Amino acid sequence: MEFELRAVPKPKHKRFKPTAKQRGQISTEVYEAAVERSGGRCERCGEKRYLQCAHLIRRWKVEIETTVNDVAMLCGPSVNTGTCHNIIDFTRGGKEWAEEYRQKLYKRH
Ligand SMILES: [Zn+2]
């Protein structure tokens, strides 16, 4: 099982309101919670493949910070057509799935 290695740089300056990029950042805690929830399988197709932590919502739409309900472990890489990460980023049906899945995650808590 392989996971994308991510290094999240610390913001250099304190800001009153975090930028869209900062709000879209996936913290280690969120990443680990998503990995645990996925059980090592793609949360969309269920395949045990190379997984990436994908945003279910556009980064600029995140209000304060990205939570575990805003992301899903999906098979990737996103640049490859046919992977779930590619589908949710680039197809209408995939975006709808992402939005519905996100609603479902928020309802569980
Ligand atoms: Zn998949």
Side-chain angles (χ1 to χ4, degrees):
M1 195 164 28
E2 219 187 319
F3 293 108
E4 191 181 41
L5 197 66
R6 300 158 33 268
V8 179
K10 289 239 159 51
K12 286 195 181 92
H13 304 285
K14 279 217 171 340
R15 280 169 182 272
F16 179 66
K17 188 185 164 141
T19 64
K21 197 180 164 198
Q22 289 169 335
R23 301 198 302 277
Q25 261 171 9
I26 298 166
S27 68
T28 307
E29 275 179 342
V30 165
Y31 184 77
E32 282 172 0
V35 168
E36 198 181 308
R37 188 182 69 211
S38 75
R41 290 173 183 276
C42 172
E43 293 187 61
R44 185 169 177 274
C45 71
E47 293 286 326
K48 271 197 166 169
R49 289 167 61 188
Y50 168 70
L51 298 180
Q52 290 183 318
C53 199
H55 281 84
L56 295 172
I57 180 173
R58 301 288 103 189
R59 285 161 204 242
W60 56 267
K61 279 192 178 175
V62 174
E63 280 177 32
I64 300 160
E65 59 176 8
T66 301
T67 75
V68 70
N69 295 332
D70 297 319
V71 298
M73 297 306 296
L74 297 181
C75 59
S78 60
V79 289
N80 285 14
T81 308
T83 64
C84 291
H85 196 172
N86 178 275
I87 289 167
I88 75 149
D89 276 359
F90 300 108
T91 73
R92 181 190 292 251
K95 283 192 180 88
E96 282 168 9
W97 177 88
E99 187 48 38
E100 276 168 30
Y101 191 62
R102 183 169 169 271
Q103 300 295 340
K104 216 162 80 181
L105 293 175
Y106 270 101
K107 276 178 196 157
R108 299 188 321 168
H109 296 287

Tab-separated table of all heavy atoms in Angstrom, residues 8 11 13 15 18 25-26 29 35 37 39 44 46 48 58-59 66 75 82 93-94 96 101 103-104 107-108:
chain	number	residue	atom	x	y	z
A	8	VAL	N	3.588	19.708	4.452
A	8	VAL	CA	2.797	20.936	4.541
A	8	VAL	C	3.659	22.033	5.149
A	8	VAL	O	4.025	21.956	6.315
A	8	VAL	CB	1.532	20.726	5.402
A	8	VAL	CG1	0.729	22.008	5.508
A	8	VAL	CG2	0.678	19.613	4.801
A	11	PRO	N	2.848	28.334	7.493
A	11	PRO	CA	2.698	29.684	6.949
A	11	PRO	C	3.751	30.624	7.540
A	11	PRO	O	4.064	30.532	8.725
A	11	PRO	CB	1.298	30.107	7.375
A	11	PRO	CG	0.738	29.015	8.196
A	11	PRO	CD	1.707	27.884	8.259
A	13	HIS	N	3.668	34.060	7.651
A	13	HIS	CA	3.143	35.215	8.380
A	13	HIS	C	1.775	34.890	8.931
A	13	HIS	O	1.030	34.136	8.333
A	13	HIS	CB	3.011	36.410	7.421
A	13	HIS	CG	4.288	36.740	6.745
A	13	HIS	ND1	5.319	37.367	7.387
A	13	HIS	CD2	4.712	36.507	5.485
A	13	HIS	CE1	6.323	37.523	6.542
A	13	HIS	NE2	5.988	37.006	5.376
A	15	ARG	N	-1.935	35.697	9.421
A	15	ARG	CA	-2.891	36.478	8.673
A	15	ARG	C	-4.200	36.501	9.438
A	15	ARG	O	-4.518	35.557	10.156
A	15	ARG	CB	-3.185	35.817	7.322
A	15	ARG	CG	-2.151	36.069	6.291
A	15	ARG	CD	-2.433	35.155	5.113
A	15	ARG	NE	-1.414	35.317	4.084
A	15	ARG	CZ	-1.497	36.209	3.121
A	15	ARG	NH1	-2.527	37.025	3.044
A	15	ARG	NH2	-0.554	36.290	2.219
A	18	PRO	N	-7.106	33.183	6.715
A	18	PRO	CA	-6.205	32.358	5.895
A	18	PRO	C	-6.552	32.460	4.410
A	18	PRO	O	-7.711	32.662	4.052
A	18	PRO	CB	-6.432	30.943	6.430
A	18	PRO	CG	-7.632	30.986	7.308
A	18	PRO	CD	-7.911	32.400	7.642
A	25	GLN	N	-5.350	23.470	2.683
A	25	GLN	CA	-4.283	22.566	3.099
A	25	GLN	C	-4.814	21.417	3.953
A	25	GLN	O	-5.655	21.621	4.816
A	25	GLN	CB	-3.210	23.329	3.883
A	25	GLN	CG	-2.030	23.661	2.994
A	25	GLN	CD	-1.070	24.600	3.674
A	25	GLN	OE1	-1.180	24.880	4.859
A	25	GLN	NE2	-0.120	25.088	2.914
A	26	ILE	N	-4.306	20.245	3.689
A	26	ILE	CA	-4.734	19.058	4.420
A	26	ILE	C	-3.710	18.797	5.521
A	26	ILE	O	-2.554	18.502	5.240
A	26	ILE	CB	-4.841	17.860	3.463
A	26	ILE	CG1	-5.901	18.146	2.388
A	26	ILE	CG2	-5.187	16.588	4.234
A	26	ILE	CD1	-5.864	17.199	1.215
A	29	GLU	N	-3.260	15.492	10.646
A	29	GLU	CA	-4.378	14.852	11.366
A	29	GLU	C	-5.507	14.471	10.424
A	29	GLU	O	-6.054	13.377	10.508
A	29	GLU	CB	-4.953	15.842	12.386
A	29	GLU	CG	-4.227	15.859	13.699
A	29	GLU	CD	-4.839	16.883	14.652
A	29	GLU	OE1	-5.568	17.780	14.177
A	29	GLU	OE2	-4.579	16.769	15.852
A	35	VAL	N	-7.117	8.404	5.877
A	35	VAL	CA	-6.496	7.106	5.576
A	35	VAL	C	-7.180	6.010	6.389
A	35	VAL	O	-7.521	4.942	5.882
A	35	VAL	CB	-4.981	7.139	5.880
A	35	VAL	CG1	-4.383	5.731	5.854
A	35	VAL	CG2	-4.252	8.032	4.885
A	37	ARG	N	-10.222	6.054	7.715
A	37	ARG	CA	-11.589	5.845	7.249
A	37	ARG	C	-11.620	4.999	5.983
A	37	ARG	O	-12.481	4.150	5.808
A	37	ARG	CB	-12.245	7.222	7.000
A	37	ARG	CG	-13.734	7.127	6.694
A	37	ARG	CD	-14.304	8.510	6.408
A	37	ARG	NE	-13.779	9.021	5.151
A	37	ARG	CZ	-13.575	10.318	4.885
A	37	ARG	NH1	-13.863	11.223	5.778
A	37	ARG	NH2	-13.089	10.688	3.722
A	39	GLY	N	-9.609	2.691	5.033
A	39	GLY	CA	-9.175	1.315	5.190
A	39	GLY	C	-8.238	0.872	4.069
A	39	GLY	O	-8.137	-0.311	3.769
A	44	ARG	N	-14.224	5.729	-3.495
A	44	ARG	CA	-15.238	5.796	-4.550
A	44	ARG	C	-15.439	4.438	-5.213
A	44	ARG	O	-16.553	3.982	-5.344
A	44	ARG	CB	-14.857	6.851	-5.586
A	44	ARG	CG	-15.923	7.054	-6.645
A	44	ARG	CD	-15.631	8.289	-7.481
A	44	ARG	NE	-16.615	8.437	-8.535
A	44	ARG	CZ	-16.503	7.824	-9.713
A	44	ARG	NH1	-15.475	7.069	-9.993
A	44	ARG	NH2	-17.448	7.985	-10.629
A	46	GLY	N	-13.568	1.527	-4.328
A	46	GLY	CA	-13.282	0.403	-3.442
A	46	GLY	C	-12.036	-0.400	-3.784
A	46	GLY	O	-11.731	-1.385	-3.119
A	48	LYS	N	-8.137	-1.416	-4.085
A	48	LYS	CA	-6.896	-1.213	-3.338
A	48	LYS	C	-5.834	-0.800	-4.328
A	48	LYS	O	-5.190	-1.632	-4.957
A	48	LYS	CB	-6.482	-2.517	-2.652
A	48	LYS	CG	-7.080	-2.690	-1.279
A	48	LYS	CD	-6.356	-3.749	-0.481
A	48	LYS	CE	-6.749	-3.657	0.982
A	48	LYS	NZ	-6.298	-4.799	1.746
A	58	ARG	N	-14.024	22.504	-3.838
A	58	ARG	CA	-13.001	23.434	-4.341
A	58	ARG	C	-12.340	24.138	-3.158
A	58	ARG	O	-13.030	24.537	-2.222
A	58	ARG	CB	-13.637	24.484	-5.252
A	58	ARG	CG	-14.358	23.933	-6.458
A	58	ARG	CD	-13.423	23.392	-7.500
A	58	ARG	NE	-13.413	21.935	-7.442
A	58	ARG	CZ	-12.575	21.153	-8.101
A	58	ARG	NH1	-11.664	21.661	-8.883
A	58	ARG	NH2	-12.636	19.854	-7.992
A	59	ARG	N	-11.033	24.306	-3.256
A	59	ARG	CA	-10.312	24.890	-2.124
A	59	ARG	C	-10.843	26.262	-1.704
A	59	ARG	O	-10.932	26.571	-0.526
A	59	ARG	CB	-8.830	25.054	-2.469
A	59	ARG	CG	-8.108	23.755	-2.436
A	59	ARG	CD	-6.830	23.842	-3.209
A	59	ARG	NE	-6.443	22.510	-3.634
A	59	ARG	CZ	-5.320	21.911	-3.260
A	59	ARG	NH1	-4.467	22.523	-2.488
A	59	ARG	NH2	-5.051	20.714	-3.683
A	66	THR	N	-9.715	22.846	5.997
A	66	THR	CA	-10.147	21.577	5.433
A	66	THR	C	-10.282	20.538	6.547
A	66	THR	O	-9.353	20.336	7.315
A	66	THR	CB	-9.117	21.117	4.389
A	66	THR	OG1	-9.025	22.127	3.383
A	66	THR	CG2	-9.527	19.812	3.738
A	75	CYS	N	-8.317	6.727	-5.628
A	75	CYS	CA	-7.233	6.192	-6.440
A	75	CYS	C	-6.758	7.277	-7.405
A	75	CYS	O	-7.525	8.109	-7.867
A	75	CYS	CB	-7.655	4.901	-7.145
A	75	CYS	SG	-9.065	5.012	-8.232
A	82	GLY	N	-9.459	8.304	-15.871
A	82	GLY	CA	-10.051	7.041	-15.427
A	82	GLY	C	-9.846	6.739	-13.961
A	82	GLY	O	-10.527	5.886	-13.407
A	93	GLY	N	-20.055	14.334	-13.522
A	93	GLY	CA	-20.572	13.237	-12.689
A	93	GLY	C	-19.705	13.025	-11.457
A	93	GLY	O	-20.219	12.770	-10.367
A	94	GLY	N	-18.404	13.174	-11.633
A	94	GLY	CA	-17.485	12.987	-10.523
A	94	GLY	C	-17.646	14.082	-9.490
A	94	GLY	O	-17.598	13.832	-8.284
A	96	GLU	N	-20.362	15.723	-8.901
A	96	GLU	CA	-21.619	15.459	-8.195
A	96	GLU	C	-21.414	14.383	-7.136
A	96	GLU	O	-21.914	14.494	-6.024
A	96	GLU	CB	-22.711	15.027	-9.193
A	96	GLU	CG	-23.287	16.210	-9.936
A	96	GLU	CD	-24.140	15.812	-11.127
A	96	GLU	OE1	-24.438	14.607	-11.289
A	96	GLU	OE2	-24.487	16.701	-11.914
A	101	TYR	N	-20.988	12.757	-1.556
A	101	TYR	CA	-20.205	11.999	-0.572
A	101	TYR	C	-19.861	12.896	0.614
A	101	TYR	O	-19.915	12.483	1.762
A	101	TYR	CB	-18.945	11.443	-1.235
A	101	TYR	CG	-18.217	10.427	-0.378
A	101	TYR	CD1	-18.837	9.234	-0.011
A	101	TYR	CD2	-16.914	10.661	0.048
A	101	TYR	CE1	-18.177	8.301	0.777
A	101	TYR	CE2	-16.247	9.729	0.836
A	101	TYR	CZ	-16.886	8.553	1.198
A	101	TYR	OH	-16.224	7.639	1.986
A	103	GLN	N	-21.573	15.507	1.681
A	103	GLN	CA	-22.800	15.689	2.486
A	103	GLN	C	-23.008	14.490	3.395
A	103	GLN	O	-23.362	14.628	4.573
A	103	GLN	CB	-24.033	15.828	1.584
A	103	GLN	CG	-24.004	16.995	0.605
A	103	GLN	CD	-24.001	18.343	1.294
A	103	GLN	OE1	-24.390	18.451	2.456
A	103	GLN	NE2	-23.550	19.364	0.599
A	104	LYS	N	-22.776	13.302	2.839
A	104	LYS	CA	-22.951	12.067	3.599
A	104	LYS	C	-21.987	12.025	4.791
A	104	LYS	O	-22.370	11.657	5.895
A	104	LYS	CB	-22.690	10.874	2.666
A	104	LYS	CG	-23.579	9.696	2.929
A	104	LYS	CD	-23.612	8.735	1.746
A	104	LYS	CE	-22.396	7.842	1.731
A	104	LYS	NZ	-22.401	6.915	0.560
A	107	LYS	N	-23.113	14.308	7.542
A	107	LYS	CA	-24.298	13.829	8.263
A	107	LYS	C	-23.965	12.767	9.291
A	107	LYS	O	-24.748	12.520	10.206
A	107	LYS	CB	-25.330	13.272	7.263
A	107	LYS	CG	-26.185	14.364	6.669
A	107	LYS	CD	-27.160	13.806	5.665
A	107	LYS	CE	-27.716	14.937	4.796
A	107	LYS	NZ	-28.206	14.458	3.527
A	108	ARG	N	-22.813	12.132	9.141
A	108	ARG	CA	-22.464	11.078	10.100
A	108	ARG	C	-22.090	11.638	11.446
A	108	ARG	O	-22.033	10.922	12.426
A	108	ARG	CB	-21.264	10.257	9.580
A	108	ARG	CG	-21.518	9.559	8.282
A	108	ARG	CD	-20.365	8.632	7.973
A	108	ARG	NE	-19.076	9.233	8.333
A	108	ARG	CZ	-17.935	8.565	8.383
A	108	ARG	NH1	-17.918	7.305	8.128
A	108	ARG	NH2	-16.800	9.182	8.683
